[in-house]
Amino acid sequence: MSSSSSPEILRNRLLWEDSSESDNSSDYENRPIRAPRNFRMRFDHFTRWSDEEFRFVFLEQRFQDDIAPKTARNHAITAMQQILIVLRFCATGCMLQTVGDFAGIHKATASQIHQNISICQEHQKKLKEIKRNFYRIAKFPRVIGAIDCTHIKIISPGGANAENFRNRKGYFSLNVQVVGDANLYIRDIVARWPGSTHDQTIFNNSLLKARFENNEFGNSIMVGDSGYALRKYLITPMLDPTVNVEHVFNESQIRSRNPIERLFGVLKRRFPILSLGIRLSLDSAKLVIIACAVLHNIALSLNEPDPIDDPFVTADYGSNENAAGIDGPRENPRENNNLRHEFLLYFMNLLEENEA
């Protein structure tokens, strides 16, 4: 019995093993083959262009410690390549896919780089120097900044509050508050308010207003348009000037705040993405705006020439929503005359000196 069954048991065992091996082989054959990792060719743009064609190489030294990869594994993207990707995106306003093709990376990687790079810089100058530069424009005294807002086009952020971002011109935007000096440096920026928000509301809720209210800037002032409420530290033009000195006051005030309009023009021509529109998430769009502001200041510090006019970049630089009487402040003639009284006396003395 045992001798006759042994060959049968052995045969069954071999058949079972063959079947098992066949099944395993079939599973192995049907298993999807992992595609080999494909690293795209990356041009070394930092050596490809001359110094005159590419002048932001020094940024790598400034931000190396913050953005450099901790390892060279997996073909890590260098700090210089990350900086170039951000500059390319802000300067062209193109899709992340295009930026990725330019740099030899996937668009998801390009998007991550924009979120990882946080560039912070603050230009500090003595207030006296800033006041002197403003004074040279139109002899308006004590000015340390011109304030205004500009709309940056974005895609709809979605959600229940999406319509809050649609401005009066019908497109989705962030209303960005900027304070600039006479040399077009950005001294303060707020880039978080929906496009339907009035400029005065943004200022009322800003840290800058609190600093002025706490007298951090002494007797220094800002100049703004008639959409802002007149304050002892924020001087606006007179709505209905009558006598000569009031016209002189208005002319000087308007010329002194002209740099903020020029600043918006230079900024949006330098970084067309701010004019053409940012096609990123809301949080990423805010980061792009701040990064462009910092890079703008860096360009000025390097004496970069102003960008040329581009017909494809909109000339609509200001918010143009500061019409007094439409969500804006109402004039109180008696209070406003008291706040402007010192400046009217000052300009009256200037007129008398010129006539003497």
Side-chain angles (χ1 to χ4, degrees), residues 28-41:
Y28 182 79
E29 291 175 357
N30 294 330
R31 184 182 304 169
I33 300 176
R34 176 183 291 181
R37 300 193 66 178
N38 180 27
F39 296 107
R40 304 184 184 191
M41 183 177 65

Side-chain angles (χ1 to χ4, degrees), residues 18-32:
D18 290 343
S19 175
S20 176
E21 290 178 0
S22 177
D23 292 342
N24 290 340
S25 175
S26 176
D27 291 343
Y28 182 79
E29 291 175 357
N30 294 330
R31 184 182 304 169

Side-chain angles (χ1 to χ4, degrees), residues 14 28 73 77 100 151 165 212 215 231 239 254 327 337:
L14 290 174
Y28 182 79
R73 295 176 58 189
I77 302 173
H151 285 279
F165 290 85
F212 271 103
N215 203 34
R231 295 289 182 265
L239 294 182
I254 292 170
D327 298 335
N337 286 339

Side-chain angles (χ1 to χ4, degrees), residues 196-226:
S196 64
T197 311
H198 192 271
D199 297 3
Q200 182 67 50
T201 302
I202 299 174
F203 180 65
N204 287 344
N205 291 276
S206 67
L207 176 62
L208 182 63
K209 181 183 179 182
R211 296 179 67 187
F212 271 103
E213 292 284 353
N214 292 332
N215 203 34
E216 289 189 30
F217 302 103
N219 69 343
S220 302
I221 65 168
M222 295 187 297
V223 288
D225 62 28
S226 58

Side-chain angles (χ1 to χ4, degrees), residues 298-352:
I298 292 175
L300 291 178
S301 69
L302 294 175
N303 296 318
E304 287 285 325
D306 289 349
I308 61 175
D309 288 329
D310 187 339
F312 295 101
V313 176
T314 178
D316 181 16
Y317 299 133
S319 69
N320 292 325
E321 301 213 5
N322 256 349
I326 305 178
D327 298 335
R330 302 298 194 272
E331 284 268 347
N332 184 329
R334 178 174 297 179
E335 178 186 4
N336 290 349
N337 286 339
N338 290 336
L339 290 172
R340 294 191 182 101
H341 182 69
E342 175 187 354
F343 296 98
L344 291 174
L345 286 178
Y346 163 79
F347 283 106
M348 185 176 295
N349 290 333
L350 285 184
L351 289 174
E352 291 176 354

